[in-house]
Amino acid sequence: MSGETNPFESLQEQVADAAAYLDADPGVIRRLQEPERVLETNLTFERDDGSLETVRAYRSQFNGDRGPYKGGIRYHPGVTRDEVKALSGWMVYKCAVVDVPYGGGKGGISIDPTEYSEPELERMTRAFAKELRPIIGEDIDIPAPDVNTGQREMNWIKDTYETLENTTAPGVITGKALDSGGSEGRVEATGRSVALAARETFDWLGGSVADATVAVQGYGNAGSVAASLLADLGATVVAVSDSGGGVHDPDGFDPRDVKRHKTETGAVADYEGTEAVTNEELLTLDVDLLVPAALENAIDGDLANDVRADVIVEAANGPLTPGADDVLAERDVTVVPDIFANAGGVTVSYFEWVQNRQRFHWTEARVNEELERIITEAFEGLVDAYAEHDLPNLRTAAYVVAIERVIRSYEQGGTWP
Ligand code: NAD
């Protein structure tokens, strides 16, 4: 991991790289490199021993030109103001790439959630929801899960918001449990779009994902589902890892069984019939497809020289530094960017919000069918832009498509006052 790359600077560089291919006013591009506003706040809550603790929390609302701010909430010690700003910007361009009517936001609490009991996490989450209440809402800003948060936290936030507002507003947050207004298919959605993105990319390159060997870094929601659905498409998953290290079997294994092992033991390590690998070894394995599904900056310019995969599909947000992008482009490694590949999560969050607003429930088949249509159409838009503007890589293509859409809606609204 490269700890030196500031993800917010990476975002700004990615926007600038794409802007070079667009005939846009520099003032407008500048506006697309900075958040509109950032809430930085303290949360004070009671520990189980009766003492009070105060932690730092953030919510960045990056751009709302295309609709309400939308983006997850992360609980991690690495959460900083700049990380949240970067993640909120990536949400703007992600929503625009798949053309869902949202802007971008992101939030987080700078904590290690494993150090707290469930009642402590609930009190902390409700304290965060209380701080967020004035700036979120079904038509304003709609949070969702991210690293170390899930249905449980979303249900708490929904309940706190609805209680304080004395209303019913399930669309204020997505990624909820089904009985609290969640959508079928939301848990699998991010991994599903990663698998679909891989399928489309291998087809585009003239091959088939069914013939691919795969390594996945990070075995949480995004990584474990992507691995399972890639195996369903016929790919051979040969290595996976989590923060406790990785496992490798060149003949492949059943990713769902590894998930069972992780659920039982807490880690992928020691999965039967595999050899241990470090995270660095996993990232440089000789595989056809590498899926980074952990955190930012997993591969920097140095490590990129040792990557042996032909295709990288980014499940995580920002796993490659701009330096890694340059090296991989030079080495003809096809990189499928995060803002497209993991957009299934926000797309099904959008479906959840639509169902909440309509008080209607879609079947899982309908959710998956609509998701597949959106991802395959978005991929076509991306490769068309790549060819039409003669762009250096698919990441720039994704930003070109997204920035054009955001600028169009900004200009149609007009500069005011
Ligand atoms: P998660 O908490 O469910 O899983 C994260 C996984 O990464 C865990 O298995 C953890 O052990 C592993 N990990 C952490 N540090 C690691 C390291 N140094 N090496 C190897 N593994 C490591 O989180 P998630 O929801 O799966 O999110 C993962 C990434 O996907 C994040 O970048 C997130 O922003 C992105 N993402 C998630 C969603 C979603 O809907 N969950 C949507 C879009 C993008």
Side-chain angles (χ1 to χ4, degrees):
M1 284 246 184
S2 155
E4 285 158 30
T5 304
N6 177 330
F8 183 54
E9 287 168 11
S10 298
L11 166 83
Q12 293 189 313
E13 199 171 325
Q14 288 158 352
V15 173
D17 285 350
Y21 297 91
L22 293 169
D23 182 23
D25 188 311
V28 173
I29 294 299
R30 196 72 203 104
R31 169 189 162 75
L32 299 182
Q33 289 177 306
E34 294 283 349
E36 290 174 10
R37 64 187 70 80
V38 183
L39 170 78
E40 185 169 351
T41 186
N42 290 323
L43 310 176
T44 302
F45 64 98
E46 195 176 322
R47 298 292 306 250
D48 290 340
D49 65 5
S51 63
L52 294 180
E53 182 163 329
T54 297
V55 296
R56 208 79 185 131
Y58 308 86
R59 181 79 183 169
S60 168
Q61 297 178 333
F62 199 94
N63 181 287
D65 291 340
R66 299 184 76 256
Y69 308 102
K70 183 88 189 84
I73 288 179
R74 174 177 293 196
Y75 290 179
H76 194 273
V79 167
T80 62
R81 188 182 173 96
D82 269 2
E83 186 192 55
V84 169
K85 279 161 63 176
L87 290 161
S88 67
W90 284 323
M91 286 307 298
V92 175
Y93 304 114
K94 185 180 304 186
C95 293
V97 152
V98 287
D99 209 5
V100 300
Y102 287 138
K106 202 83 174 194
I109 311 181
S110 186
I111 50 142
D112 177 354
T114 62
E115 290 173 3
Y116 300 92
S117 69
E118 181 162 341
E120 288 171 337
L121 286 170
E122 178 173 351
R123 290 193 287 274
M124 189 193 312
T125 302
R126 289 189 188 276
F128 194 22
K130 177 173 143 291
E131 292 304 315
L132 289 172
R133 189 194 57 81
I135 62 162
I136 63 173
E138 288 184 306
D139 290 316
I140 303 168
D141 182 353
I142 306 144
D146 193 71
V147 174
N148 294 325
T149 61
Q151 293 182 341
R152 183 181 66 173
E153 289 75 15
M154 301 305 110
N155 300 343
W156 288 333
I157 294 173
K158 168 181 170 279
D159 181 68
T160 309
Y161 180 86
E162 290 183 334
T163 304
L164 293 175
E165 291 284 316
N166 188 30
T167 191
T168 304
V172 70
I173 197 152
T174 59
K176 304 176 293 288
L178 277 181
D179 292 314
S180 293
S183 176
E184 306 284 351
R186 174 61 185 89
V187 172
E188 299 82 19
T190 304
R192 186 171 295 276
S193 73
V194 169
L196 289 168
R199 185 190 73 187
E200 295 301 301
T201 305
F202 277 84
D203 284 354
W204 177 62
L205 293 170
S208 168
V209 76
D211 301 327
T213 52
V214 184
V216 179
Q217 182 215 26
Y219 217 59
N221 175 273
S224 66
V225 174
S228 303
L229 296 179
L230 283 163
D232 291 349
L233 293 173
T236 308
V237 179
V238 297
V240 300
S241 69
D242 59 21
S243 42
V247 292
H248 179 218
D249 177 356
D251 295 330
F253 44 70
D254 174 3
R256 288 190 177 86
D257 202 44
V258 180
K259 180 71 184 170
R260 176 201 51 78
H261 172 82
K262 182 172 163 71
T263 306
E264 281 170 18
T265 66
V268 299
D270 300 326
Y271 178 64
E272 201 177 302
T274 60
E275 280 181 19
V277 279
T278 64
N279 260 298
E280 188 158 330
E281 284 164 349
L282 179 134
L283 293 168
T284 55
L285 279 175
D286 189 7
V287 288
D288 301 310
L289 170 62
L290 175 63
V291 179
L295 294 171
E296 300 95 81
N297 299 340
I299 302 176
D300 63 11
D302 285 341
L303 192 61
N305 282 303
D306 300 327
V307 166
R308 284 185 286 167
D310 301 311
V311 176
I312 298 178
V313 177
E314 294 181 324
N317 287 308
L320 272 53
T321 66
D325 261 350
D326 293 345
V327 171
L328 294 166
E330 222 167 81
R331 298 187 46 221
D332 273 338
V333 177
T334 301
V335 175
V336 184
D338 47 6
I339 61 168
F340 161 67
N342 69 30
V346 74
T347 303
V348 176
S349 272
Y350 165 58
F351 297 161
E352 179 176 334
W353 180 77
V354 168
Q355 294 169 74
N356 291 157
R357 309 305 300 270
Q358 298 183 338
R359 303 290 195 259
F360 192 71
H361 190 79
W362 293 7
T363 62
E364 186 175 1
R366 177 169 178 193
V367 168
N368 291 344
E369 195 180 308
E370 298 273 1
L371 174 62
E372 182 163 356
R373 180 182 61 76
I374 285 182
I375 296 298
T376 49
E377 282 178 8
F379 187 75
E380 274 171 38
L382 214 129
V383 295
D384 284 353
Y386 175 77
E388 188 189 323
H389 296 272
D390 196 19
L391 299 173
N393 53 39
L394 292 176
R395 188 184 315 283
T396 309
Y399 276 95
V400 164
V401 169
I403 291 172
E404 278 183 326
R405 283 189 179 138
V406 178
I407 290 179
R408 275 203 299 274
S409 102
Y410 172 72
E411 288 180 347
Q412 286 161 9
T415 305
W416 186 91

